[in-house]
Amino acid sequence: MGVKKFIQNVLESLKITDFEITSKKKSLKALLSKLKKKRVDILKELQKEPSDKQKTELNEELELISLHIKKGKKRLEELKRS
Amino acid sequence: MSKNIFLPLSLIILGYGFWMSPNFKDISAGVAIFLFGMLSLEQGFKAFSGGFLDKILKNSTDKLYKSIGFGIVSTSIMQSSSLVSILTISFLSAGLIGLSQGIGIVFGANLGTTTGAWLVAGYGLKINIASYAMPMLVFGIVFIFQKSASLKGVGYILTGLGFLFLGIHYMKEGFEAFKATIDLSAYAVDGYKGLFLFTLVGIFATVIMQSSHATLVLIITALSAGQISYENALALAIGANVGTTITAILGAMSSNIEGKRLAAAHLIFNLVTGLIAIVFIYQIIYLVDQSAMFLNIAQDDYTLKLAIFHTIFNTIGVVVFLETTLKQKKSVDEIGYDSVKYLNDSVLEFPQTSMGALIRETKHLYENAFEIIAHGLNLRRSKIVSSMEIDEVVKEKHARRYINIEDFYNKKIKDIYSEIITFSTRAQVNMQAQDIENLYKLKLANREIVEAIKNTKHLQKNIIKFSSHPNKYIQQQYLQIKKSLAELLRNINIIATTDEEDVIILLLSKVRINTQKNDLLANGTLDELIRNKNITNQMATSLMNDSVYLYNIRNNLCNMAETLFVQISGELKHIEDEMHITQSEIEEILEKKD
């Protein structure tokens, strides 16, 4: 038995073959939680009636955050299903 | 090998020295406390960078005459040119001032030190700054324990000064034993031989006593007692001026490269001034006699004549150096060849170590590229990475002239890049498929860095031409290009230094969107300028070409940052691909805005 096959067998017997997926899920969850917190912060800032320039910047950032949250959630769902 | 031996050997030598000589222990402790003071001082000034102190320093040193004036006034008040030089080095290290401003302050400090000569000669005054050390330490520590960042900064500055004074005090204590052996009359010699000899004695005495003021007192005492001739006393004063640079050199040991350059400039200035004074000593003596007559100073009042001499020779030095300041600055700024830091055969054995070394070397290459791009656009690196508004950053010039990017590329990029590529080929032999894939990405990142510099070189020509062009429309466009790149460099610096994954992901997306947004061809700016006849056809062609260079530089650096700081070495390497913003998403966002 080759070294690669041996490692594969050990991983399968210890049921850690989806290690990569688990770590991806963990990283994604952590990132999503930070992004959500940031979204809340920006929404709070927007309620404080900022200047027009600040408002534009905050809205742009909010749009980006929402896009990334959407992407992150979608990917997380895919990982959960796999 | 030699590096491994150096530390234990130094410790053994120091330990033996402490055991053999209590004076040596005092001197070493003095140097250690002094350097610790420098670190504390630097930390204190960093607390004020970008704020109140930054503004004061900027306004009082933005012109050469202002920085000289600042040096004169501060040295006259503090009565120590060494202390002013050290503070200047701290300002430089904290990024509060630039090298040329630092040189101006040091020139001024040399002139300011003549007020000390007048005080000593005229009134026998000697201000002992070391007596303030203890109160400064106590107040400093009290401030450090406060919550406010500004008070903490004040605390670090006070403790820094306290430690500096304490360090100087210990050094002086340690040298007391040597001081007793200085008998000036033993060296009395006439002519130029005597002049050089006494200059050396002056240097030595000042290094020992850590104060040109103390040497001046010694000279005046010896002169009054008839131990030395008037000419010998003048040579001693010249030597004291050179010897006083040792404190700044010591201070520069713990500072960054700019601080070291300033200490070198200080030494060069005082050495050259000293040489001029020795060569033209008899002409200066004549000038001193004439000035003494004019000021109603008795011809045999040698102590006051010594003060006049001190003022004249330092003024001559400043006048000479004012002419050559820019040339001198250029010589201390002269770029040297840079070579690889992390690549060597010992790391080639394992794929992980060779990969680690290659990543570090690529980061090193990017640091050099950052310097070249920033200075190529005449922007200051310290301001780019600060929190200063980008509009203000582009207004602050790095130097009078734009740098020669080709020259910098040859000296700071070319060799390192070629070493990285050669080393990668050798490292690849021991690597698995996944590592080889990462190595390929890394090589591409290196290529992006090089491409970005080459594109900046093309862009630079028209930036120089149009940045101060009378046509406001074209000038505005090139200012916008500079702003776009300054903002890009700032964002990449944040990506490279932060641990926050959300910040990295959002910044990368923002940079990509802004690249599209700043594309003058795509956003219609160029069409509008041509349609309204705001710019000539020739200007339009230049702007069109440069818009492509800007677009390429932004893409080059963005791709590099994504690979180097995220995909290969960052915490996000598992998920970056999933979160990467696509071209269609960028277009969608931009369309919404339109």
Side-chain angles (χ1 to χ4, degrees), chain A residues 4 20 23-24 27-28 31 34-35 38 53 60-61 63-65 67-69 71-72 75, chain B residues 500-503 505-506 509-510 513 517 572 574-575 578-582 585 589 592-593:
Chain A
K4 271 189 181 175
E20 203 181 326
S23 87
K24 265 189 184 183
S27 303
L28 265 175
L31 179 65
K34 282 185 180 178
L35 287 171
K38 210 170 196 107
K53 193 186 164 197
E60 278 177 9
E61 198 159 353
E63 194 175 358
L64 263 184
I65 293 172
L67 175 78
H68 283 295
I69 291 177
K71 277 168 89 87
R75 184 65 190 139
Chain B
E500 301 294 330
E501 297 92 338
D502 54 331
V503 174
I505 287 283
L506 290 173
S509 302
K510 201 172 149 188
I513 291 169
K517 216 167 34 173
L572 282 164
H574 301 303
I575 52 165
E578 278 90 353
M579 300 302 282
H580 181 93
I581 191 165
T582 62
E585 283 165 339
I589 290 175
K592 267 189 209 168
K593 283 197 181 98

Side-chain angles (χ1 to χ4, degrees), chain B residues 415-481:
Chain B
D415 285 351
I416 301 176
Y417 178 51
S418 100
E419 287 272 345
I420 289 174
I421 299 302
T422 315
F423 192 87
S424 305
T425 316
R426 291 172 68 200
Q428 203 169 320
V429 179
N430 300 326
M431 286 182 177
Q432 301 287 329
Q434 179 62 43
D435 291 330
I436 291 174
E437 196 187 320
N438 280 339
L439 190 63
Y440 176 67
K441 284 182 184 172
L442 201 60
K443 281 198 269 188
L444 288 183
N446 276 284
R447 197 176 68 184
E448 299 279 13
I449 294 171
V450 171
E451 288 297 319
I453 296 168
K454 288 185 175 172
N455 283 319
T456 311
K457 193 184 100 180
H458 294 304
L459 189 61
Q460 192 196 40
K461 287 176 204 158
N462 284 332
I463 285 198
I464 296 171
K465 189 175 167 186
F466 292 122
S467 283
S468 51
H469 199 275
N471 182 326
K472 293 288 164 201
Y473 294 98
I474 195 80
Q475 194 193 84
Q476 185 58 34
Q477 288 308 315
Y478 278 90
L479 193 70
Q480 199 58 41
I481 289 176

Side-chain angles (χ1 to χ4, degrees), chain A residues 48-62:
Chain A
K48 289 180 193 168
E49 294 180 3
S51 67
D52 285 350
K53 193 186 164 197
Q54 280 173 323
K55 202 172 170 181
T56 318
E57 280 174 8
L58 288 169
N59 277 322
E60 278 177 9
E61 198 159 353
L62 192 65

Side-chain angles (χ1 to χ4, degrees), chain B residues 54-250:
Chain B
D54 208 351
K55 274 184 195 156
I56 291 181
L57 281 172
K58 196 183 143 196
N59 291 334
S60 35
T61 61
D62 57 351
K63 300 267 185 327
L64 187 61
Y65 74 88
K66 279 192 187 175
S67 33
I68 291 175
F70 184 83
I72 295 174
V73 173
S74 50
T75 309
S76 303
I77 294 169
M78 292 195 235
Q79 281 303 303
S80 168
S81 61
S82 307
L83 186 61
V84 172
S85 313
I86 290 162
L87 288 174
T88 311
I89 288 170
S90 305
F91 293 153
L92 253 180
S93 299
L96 290 169
I97 57 167
L99 184 61
S100 50
Q101 291 157 294
I103 291 174
I105 298 175
V106 166
F107 284 5
N110 268 44
L111 273 180
T113 199
T114 63
T115 58
W118 282 97
L119 285 174
V120 173
Y123 308 101
L125 273 179
K126 187 173 170 272
I127 298 167
N128 183 14
I129 46 176
S131 60
Y132 303 123
M134 296 302 172
M136 277 180 169
L137 285 173
V138 176
F139 288 124
I141 293 294
V142 172
F143 281 126
I144 284 174
F145 284 130
Q146 303 307 308
K147 275 184 183 168
S148 152
S150 306
L151 286 180
K152 264 186 201 292
V154 172
Y156 278 115
I157 291 171
L158 281 177
T159 44
L161 286 171
F163 280 126
L164 281 185
F165 295 159
L166 201 64
I168 292 172
H169 169 76
Y170 273 105
M171 282 189 251
K172 276 184 186 172
E173 291 267 302
F175 277 121
E176 277 300 314
F178 297 104
K179 191 182 163 187
T181 62
I182 299 174
D183 175 15
L184 295 172
S185 61
Y187 307 98
V189 185
D190 289 331
Y192 272 106
K193 201 176 158 189
L195 278 173
F196 276 106
L197 185 68
F198 269 83
T199 304
L200 287 176
V201 173
I203 295 173
F204 182 66
T206 311
V207 169
I208 284 178
M209 292 186 282
Q210 286 290 304
S211 162
S212 55
H213 274 70
T215 312
L216 270 178
V217 173
L218 193 75
I219 298 166
I220 288 165
T221 319
L223 189 61
S224 318
Q227 276 189 321
I228 47 168
S229 69
Y230 173 54
E231 284 82 4
N232 292 157
L234 301 186
L236 279 169
I238 296 169
N241 228 39
V242 177
T244 195
T245 57
I246 187 71
T247 325
I249 292 168
L250 268 179

Side-chain angles (χ1 to χ4, degrees), chain B residues 35 40 117 135 188 229 245 265 269 277 295 394 397 434 510 516:
Chain B
L35 290 177
S40 178
S229 69
T245 57
F269 173 73
L295 294 167
V394 292
K397 286 182 181 169
Q434 179 62 43
K510 201 172 149 188
Q516 297 281 332

